[in-house]
Amino acid sequence: MNLNLKKPICFFDLETTGINISKDRIVEIAILKVFPDGKEESKTWVVNPEMPIPAEVTEIHGISDADVADAPTFKMLAKEIYTLIKDSDLGGFNSNRFDIPLLAEEMLRAEIDFDIKSNLAIDVQTIFHKMEQRTLVAAYKFYCGKDLENAHSAAADTLATYEVLKAQVEKYDELENDTKFLSEFSSRKQFADFAGFLVFNEDGEECFAFGKHKNKRVVDVLTDEPGYFGWILNADFPLYTKKVLTAIKLRSFNNKLN
């Protein structure tokens, strides 16, 4: 079967130096762009992260410092990657919680204003966990009846993710072949940022999701404790979280002027 697409969707997977969204870097990125007419376009880049790859991480994905030594940096690739994905919805495996937030950080470090508010995001892992509770290797075996060769290779994982989503839509009658439905089904909480430090309440207002101000409206905290904004900007939070927080502060300031 083919996915019912209203616009292109880019399935992507990252191999990285670790799992810290603020500090770690991409060492490989694979993108499979699927168009509404069924056409597919695939690209894979090895990336120099400009930092050492820990040995224990190399053991997982097989990419070493020597493999990336002569590779381009993400900043050198950022415009090409952004051009490929900017008109598309996004799909991945655990992408809402890891791949999209980390990709956003890399884009902002490369001085590209990465914003996907008009793009849907489908997390195949969330659909899988809601339906079956397993891993990508098990999902591929369960849905597609095949063993996943070269697991933790970005290209293999990306293709497997795409095939699993198609099989999920075909298997479950309750899943609509519609990217908006799949995006909503595969989301967890409604986050105002990618990393989950800011969430929306029932009224659609941004609230803090951590620390002493958890569940408090951001606008109230920034008014009552102005120094909290400066603390976050100077602390080790993701760049995109700081970007969203700054936008909220500016919006609040403009509302007061009006």
Side-chain angles (χ1 to χ4, degrees):
M1 65 162 293
N2 290 322
L3 292 177
N4 182 18
L5 303 177
K6 296 178 177 62
K7 64 193 296 187
I9 182 169
C10 284
F11 293 90
F12 78 105
D13 184 70
L14 307 178
E15 303 302 338
T16 67
T17 59
I19 58 173
N20 186 309
I21 291 169
S22 299
K23 294 180 179 179
D24 281 305
R25 301 290 188 267
I26 294 171
V27 298
E28 186 179 43
I29 176 171
I31 297 175
L32 174 64
K33 187 170 185 175
V34 183
F35 295 84
D37 64 1
K39 174 189 169 185
E40 298 176 10
E41 179 182 347
S42 180
K43 290 274 291 183
T44 300
W45 298 267
V46 175
V47 184
N48 186 330
E50 302 180 276
M51 64 181 292
I53 304 172
E56 61 271 21
V57 177
T58 295
E59 288 181 8
I60 295 172
H61 54 49
I63 301 172
S64 66
D65 290 336
D67 295 325
V68 301
D70 297 323
T73 64
F74 187 85
K75 188 168 186 177
M76 296 166 66
L77 298 169
K79 288 183 180 178
E80 181 182 1
I81 294 171
Y82 183 67
T83 298
L84 185 63
I85 68 176
K86 66 180 180 180
D87 65 338
S88 305
D89 294 326
L90 298 176
F93 199 86
N94 194 32
S95 48
N96 286 357
R97 300 178 67 183
F98 181 71
D99 297 82
I100 291 176
L102 199 148
L103 180 62
E105 291 298 290
E106 291 278 37
M107 286 290 183
L108 291 173
R109 277 191 287 266
E111 301 178 349
I112 290 180
D113 188 13
F114 186 73
D115 200 336
I116 59 166
K117 288 187 177 65
S118 62
N119 306 72
L120 301 175
I122 299 175
D123 193 328
V124 173
Q125 185 193 61
T126 302
I127 296 175
F128 181 38
H129 284 181
K130 283 185 175 182
M131 295 298 189
E132 303 295 344
Q133 301 287 318
R134 290 202 176 85
T135 64
L136 178 58
V137 173
Y140 195 58
K141 182 70 172 179
F142 181 86
Y143 288 109
C144 304
K146 295 182 277 187
D147 293 320
L148 178 55
E149 302 292 338
N150 299 319
H152 296 297
S153 157
D157 289 355
T158 299
L159 181 59
T161 299
Y162 172 47
E163 291 185 12
V164 166
L165 178 59
K166 291 194 294 181
Q168 286 174 331
V169 172
E170 191 165 23
K171 179 178 177 63
Y172 301 112
D173 292 338
E174 56 265 53
L175 293 182
E176 297 178 18
N177 191 349
D178 176 82
T179 47
K180 187 174 188 299
F181 174 88
L182 294 170
S183 175
E184 292 173 352
F185 188 86
S186 64
S187 66
R188 290 182 171 88
K189 289 183 179 179
Q190 288 295 103
F191 295 126
D193 65 337
F194 290 130
F197 290 105
L198 306 173
V199 297
F200 290 107
N201 62 17
E202 292 180 353
D203 297 321
E205 301 167 311
E206 298 94 344
C207 297
F208 286 105
F210 69 96
K212 63 180 182 178
H213 294 306
K214 186 175 182 178
N215 297 324
K216 293 181 183 178
R217 296 196 317 162
V218 172
V219 291
D220 294 335
V221 173
L222 296 186
T223 299
D224 298 339
E225 191 178 335
Y228 199 64
F229 175 73
W231 173 75
I232 290 178
L233 290 190
N234 291 313
D236 188 25
F237 286 91
L239 295 175
Y240 193 83
T241 300
K242 296 176 182 179
K243 177 178 183 278
V244 172
L245 195 64
T246 302
I248 296 170
K249 184 177 177 66
L250 290 174
R251 186 184 68 208
S252 178
F253 178 74
N254 290 332
N255 288 340
K256 289 178 181 178
L257 291 179
N258 296 329

